[in-house]
Amino acid sequence: MIRKKFQGGTDFDTLGSSLFDPDSLAGVQTDVTRFAPFIESAARAFIPELEKTSARALTTQDLSDLYRGVTPQSQFQQNVIQQQLSQAGLGQATFGGDAGTLTNVGTGTGIAAFEPFIDEAQRLSGAVGPQGQVTAAGIQAAREPFMSPFQQQVIDATRASFENKRAQDRLNISDAAVRANAFGGARQGVQEGVYDAQTALGIAELEAGLRQQNLQQADAARQAEMANQQALAQSVPSLQTTQLQGLQNIGIGQQALQQQQRSILEAQARERIFDPQQRMGAFAQSFAPLVQGIGPQSVFRTDVQPPPSPLDTIVGVGSVGAGLLGGLGSILGAG
């Protein structure tokens, strides 16, 4: 800083340049006050760079690097959602929302994953018709597949064995009649008739028992299968849901990882873009205390004396002339 002071105590900075008249000055005193050279040098380098850095605007690329947005749902996640909808009997999904989110679901089959098992359990129970009423015909139709295909062979083999035993027993009756001298008599006929009636009844009961046993086994198998279908109606959707939740967690984990990667890239871009401002701010925080602590110093002072006025010149010339004349007079008088 340079301050000039006129004789008489008037500051040039206070008077203003419009009133400055060098010829009217009686003299000028100049004080030069400056900061330390290293402060001035740093300020000359720092302030222009600060102006350029502050004036720089963010570009479109800068904004894209700083704000990368939300990671959208992947195709993997969308496929898992579609699979869940299909198992619920719903239709095609539309992912038209922000970041690929679900916006609409089309009309599907209306058949959920558990419904085939429920339908089969109802059929096995003997329910028929649109009302699902249980009828004897329905039960018989449901039982028929579980009947043993070898039932008739078992019955025929059992009957043949029984008939063989019957023939032997009839022969024993004849032998006994011969020994009793009653062969061909009424007593033999009565005894054989009673035996034939009893064995015929036994054969019928045996066949009926075999058929009843087969029927009971088939019915037990039908009811067991019905219970299995009901259990499947509960377990299969549960297993599918568990599987889909696992797949969904994988998709969410991948999405979170990608979002974290975007955040890291945003942080790197932020450091790159704002690094000059940060360094400028750090320098300013370190530089300001130096400027305030050291402050400006008085470097030197100069005094400028005014030129002599015309009157002083005339008086000076007269004095010189008088001196010369006096000298000359002395010289001449001496002569």
Side-chain angles (χ1 to χ4, degrees):
M1 180 180 63
I2 300 176
R3 181 178 294 277
K4 294 183 178 180
K5 186 176 182 181
F6 303 153
Q7 289 186 3
T10 300
D11 288 343
F12 173 76
D13 292 344
T14 304
L15 264 175
S17 59
S18 61
L19 301 178
F20 173 66
D21 184 3
D23 295 336
S24 65
L25 293 178
V28 178
Q29 176 181 306
T30 303
D31 291 332
V32 178
T33 302
R34 299 180 62 180
F35 286 95
F38 75 92
I39 294 179
E40 291 184 355
S41 175
R44 281 194 297 270
F46 171 70
I47 293 176
E49 291 297 326
L50 178 61
E51 291 176 347
K52 290 191 296 182
T53 302
S54 301
R56 179 184 179 276
L58 294 178
T59 65
T60 303
Q61 184 61 45
D62 291 337
L63 295 175
S64 298
D65 293 340
L66 287 173
Y67 308 103
R68 297 175 182 267
V70 178
T71 301
Q73 287 192 127
S74 65
Q75 186 63 48
F76 176 82
Q77 290 175 291
Q78 293 178 354
N79 291 340
V80 172
I81 292 174
Q82 180 61 65
Q83 188 173 353
Q84 288 176 315
L85 294 175
S86 299
Q87 290 181 2
L90 300 175
Q92 185 66 33
T94 301
F95 299 94
D98 294 338
T101 53
L102 182 66
T103 55
N104 191 25
V105 178
T107 303
T109 60
I111 300 177
F114 60 87
E115 289 188 24
F117 305 105
I118 295 296
D119 293 341
E120 181 64 11
Q122 289 178 341
R123 186 191 68 81
L124 292 170
S125 69
V128 295
Q131 302 299 325
Q133 296 178 349
V134 178
T135 63
I139 294 176
Q140 180 60 31
R143 184 192 297 123
E144 187 64 31
F146 298 96
M147 297 290 287
S148 173
F150 307 103
Q151 182 186 30
Q152 190 59 47
Q153 289 90 329
V154 173
I155 292 175
D156 293 342
T158 304
R159 178 186 288 273
S161 177
F162 194 88
E163 289 289 348
N164 185 35
K165 178 69 169 55
R166 179 183 180 186
Q168 292 178 359
D169 289 341
R170 283 178 63 85
L171 181 60
N172 291 333
I173 293 174
S174 297
D175 292 341
V178 170
R179 288 192 299 268
N181 294 321
F183 182 77
R187 290 177 61 187
Q188 181 184 357
V190 171
Q191 189 174 3
E192 290 179 348
V194 172
Y195 179 77
D196 289 341
Q198 290 177 346
T199 54
L201 180 60
I203 291 176
E205 290 177 351
L206 179 61
E207 184 176 350
L210 292 174
R211 293 187 182 278
Q212 180 65 26
Q213 182 182 4
N214 190 17
L215 183 65
Q216 291 175 348
Q217 291 176 347
D219 200 52
R222 176 184 65 85
Q223 292 180 358
E225 181 60 21
M226 182 171 59
N228 290 337
Q229 292 296 320
Q230 292 173 344
L232 288 173
Q234 296 177 349
S235 62
V236 169
S238 177
L239 292 174
Q240 291 175 338
T241 300
T242 301
Q243 181 187 37
L244 290 175
Q245 286 177 347
L247 296 175
Q248 192 173 37
N249 290 336
I250 293 175
I252 292 174
Q254 290 296 313
Q255 186 180 25
L257 177 61
Q258 293 174 1
Q259 186 64 52
Q260 186 177 9
Q261 292 172 342
R262 287 193 176 197
S263 299
I264 293 174
L265 293 176
E266 287 178 355
Q268 292 176 343
R270 189 175 296 107
E271 290 295 328
R272 173 179 57 81
I273 294 172
F274 294 106
D275 177 69
Q277 290 90 332
Q278 293 174 353
R279 288 189 289 108
M280 288 290 179
F283 179 80
Q285 290 179 354
S286 302
F287 185 65
L290 294 176
V291 176
Q292 296 174 358
I294 297 176
Q297 305 294 324
S298 178
V299 179
F300 58 85
R301 173 181 292 179
T302 58
D303 293 329
V304 178
Q305 298 297 327
S309 65
L311 179 61
D312 292 338
T313 303
I314 294 173
V315 172
V317 171
S319 298
V320 172
L324 291 173
L325 291 176
L328 290 174
S330 300
I331 294 171
L332 292 175

